[in-house]
Amino acid sequence: MRADVRHVAEGTYLVHGSNTNWVVLTEGDAVTLIDTGYPGDRQLLLDSLAQIGSSPEAVTAVLITHAHNDHLGSAEYLRSAHGTPVLLHEAEVPHARRDFLQQVSVGEVLRNSWRPGVLPWMAHVLRSGGTRQHPVTAPAPFPADGPLDLPGRPVPVHTPGHTDGHCVYHLPDAGVVVSGDALVSGHAISRVRGPQLLPRMFDHDRERTAASLDIIAGLDGDVLLPGHGPVHRGPVKDAARLARERTS
């Protein structure tokens, strides 16, 4: 199985893994990786790097939008095997270490099992290792405010709610917002297509998640790269507004 790699802007690739996306930013031979998919997506992750002519050794840093298992899956592998720094918002660092867990419980999923798509999605989670914890031994907070000195010059923007330390990454020069799970364009258990919030059970604090849409709306860009669903083109502020209108 090959990774689905989409070239969406100069030096910017959106990769569709198994129900979760990650983003690759390139500058010369160097790479910034944003998120890493499920633990079971590792071969897809490595294949996505190979498809663009890169390798794990070229990854200068792994940036994590939030420390859920379907985004954190291979972060510790890259850190331990290749010495790759894993960077997150300071509020998300202990979450990545698994000092605590802000993730939907199996019980909550089972209470929602009557909803269309939930049981097939849960079966996929189990197959992909999504219920096993893969903590990052030594995650680190961003070294400074503003653009990071990494390929793509991503700017972390704190968007709490889905988790306390959730961040989106703004690429001002490219007009791109990497939105993680703060704003998505689809999900395996959603029947909505286009900009939306994830189903409520996935959010640690739904009220803060909805409020963070206003933060995203303030970012200049016309390409949205979500943690779930396809690339969305059009003003990011309009995508955030539509998601707010659809919020329940």
Side-chain angles (χ1 to χ4, degrees):
M1 182 177 179
R2 299 200 74 195
D4 182 357
V5 180
R6 306 293 178 98
H7 183 218
V8 294
E10 182 67 28
T12 305
Y13 300 84
L14 178 66
V15 185
H16 298 292
S18 61
N19 285 356
T20 304
N21 303 332
W22 54 88
V23 172
V24 184
L25 308 177
T26 63
E27 186 176 298
D29 294 332
V31 164
T32 301
L33 181 62
I34 303 179
D35 288 342
T36 66
Y38 279 99
D41 285 345
R42 183 169 304 164
Q43 193 54 51
L44 291 175
L45 179 69
L46 298 176
D47 179 64
S48 70
L49 294 172
Q51 283 191 49
I52 64 169
S54 189
S55 67
E57 293 81 4
V59 180
T60 57
V62 175
L63 306 181
I64 299 296
T65 58
H66 64 292
H68 281 168
N69 291 344
D70 58 333
H71 297 258
L72 198 67
S74 287
E76 175 61 14
Y77 160 75
L78 290 167
R79 191 204 66 80
S80 60
H82 300 284
T84 313
V86 178
L87 306 178
L88 313 88
H89 187 273
E90 61 182 357
E92 201 71 2
V93 167
H95 193 198
R97 288 195 304 256
R98 287 299 181 259
D99 295 354
F100 56 82
L101 184 62
Q102 294 179 342
Q103 188 156 333
V104 64
S105 67
V106 173
E108 182 69 16
V109 172
L110 291 176
R111 285 191 290 275
N112 283 271
S113 61
W114 58 273
R115 297 180 181 276
V118 169
L119 289 179
W121 169 79
M122 189 61 190
H124 174 268
V125 170
L126 292 170
R127 289 194 305 271
S128 301
T131 58
R132 299 192 302 271
Q133 301 305 323
H134 292 263
V136 178
T137 304
F142 305 123
D145 294 335
L148 299 173
D149 187 18
L150 296 169
R153 300 299 183 268
V155 181
V157 180
H158 189 206
T159 47
H162 187 64
T163 64
D164 287 345
H166 189 289
C167 269
V168 306
Y169 295 94
H170 187 205
L171 313 178
D173 292 343
V176 171
V177 175
V178 182
S179 58
D181 284 4
L183 174 58
V184 302
S185 61
H187 189 270
I189 71 170
S190 174
R191 295 300 173 262
V192 177
R193 294 294 175 262
Q196 62 190 283
L197 294 183
L198 287 172
R200 178 181 292 269
M201 68 175 176
F202 293 119
D203 286 332
H204 178 65
D205 185 331
R206 184 67 163 193
E207 184 175 341
R208 292 182 81 194
T209 304
S212 284
L213 290 172
D214 294 336
I215 299 172
I216 296 172
L219 302 176
D220 289 333
D222 54 13
V223 179
L224 184 75
L225 305 183
H228 303 272
V231 58
H232 178 81
R233 298 187 183 274
V236 169
K237 64 181 179 181
D238 291 347
R241 185 184 68 245
L242 179 56
R244 170 73 88 165
E245 291 171 356
R246 290 170 161 173
T247 300
S248 58

